[in-house]
Amino acid sequence: MMTSKIRNIVGSAVGLLAATGPASAEDKTEQPKYDVIKHSDGVELRHYAPQVVAEVTIEAGSIGQASSKGFGLLAGYIFGGNQGAAQIRMTAPVTTQSTSDGTKIAMTAPVTTSENEDGVYTVRFSMPAKWTMATLPKPNDDKVELIQIEAEKRVAYRLVGDRSPARIEKAAAKIDSFLKAEKLEATSPMIIAGYDGPSVPTERKRWEVMRVVK
């Protein structure tokens, strides 16, 4: 059962990044800020600073339908589907399509996708740090939610290259072992974060498997 879910989540993340995304994780793409508290065998316990995200929650007949719909809604928001007039300078080599009106919000890495136990999917984009809940323009589509994420801890394992289900499962197992050894309790399902767009060669692509913990 875990294999099927991980395969679906990975497929969703790939689909999102194939449409648009950072050219390379090593470029100056703005990313969520964190400090590493502890690391062991490639696994990191991190403390993340507060951040604002735009997210949609999707119910659909398949992961493909959910990711496609979710991405479209979020892309619509950051590419001008919002109430505002400010022009926001790009934070990465990623470019956005010009819009005739509305605010244009820079893409940041990573794009994350997670699945709840009941088959409900959540797709998120991090907002650039200069924006706050008070200053971000209101989405035109009420399905898009702006959420303040308070400081939190996550356990993460990084992959570079192939992101096959087998490698993702191995990463998940390492995370579970770390949680057990450190007596930490996970408070989220497994999250797959993809940092690189389709122009980056497979051997250089960066992925992370993460879980939020108490």
Side-chain angles (χ1 to χ4, degrees), residues 30-33 49-52 88 91 105-108 126-133 135-136 148:
E30 183 176 342
Q31 300 175 21
K33 294 179 174 59
Q51 61 177 305
V52 179
I88 301 176
T91 58
I105 300 175
M107 284 286 291
T108 59
S126 296
M127 297 290 100
K130 66 174 289 183
W131 292 92
T132 67
M133 290 291 289
T135 60
L136 274 168
Q148 174 72 53

Side-chain angles (χ1 to χ4, degrees), residues 97-159:
Q97 284 186 313
S98 296
T99 55
S100 57
D101 56 10
T103 301
K104 292 185 287 187
I105 300 175
M107 284 286 291
T108 59
V111 177
T112 63
T113 307
S114 61
E115 178 186 3
N116 297 322
E117 290 300 317
D118 58 3
V120 177
Y121 301 91
T122 300
V123 183
R124 271 183 184 173
F125 288 175
S126 296
M127 297 290 100
K130 66 174 289 183
W131 292 92
T132 67
M133 290 291 289
T135 60
L136 274 168
K138 181 181 178 181
N140 290 340
D141 193 322
D142 60 12
K143 297 184 186 67
V144 178
E145 294 186 83
L146 301 178
I147 299 175
Q148 174 72 53
I149 305 295
E150 300 304 329
E152 64 183 8
K153 292 178 181 175
R154 301 181 193 175
V155 173
Y157 185 84
R158 181 178 301 180
L159 299 171

Side-chain angles (χ1 to χ4, degrees), residues 28-41:
K28 296 180 180 180
T29 306
E30 183 176 342
Q31 300 175 21
K33 294 179 174 59
Y34 65 84
D35 295 312
V36 177
I37 301 171
K38 188 171 186 177
H39 60 87
S40 176
D41 194 25

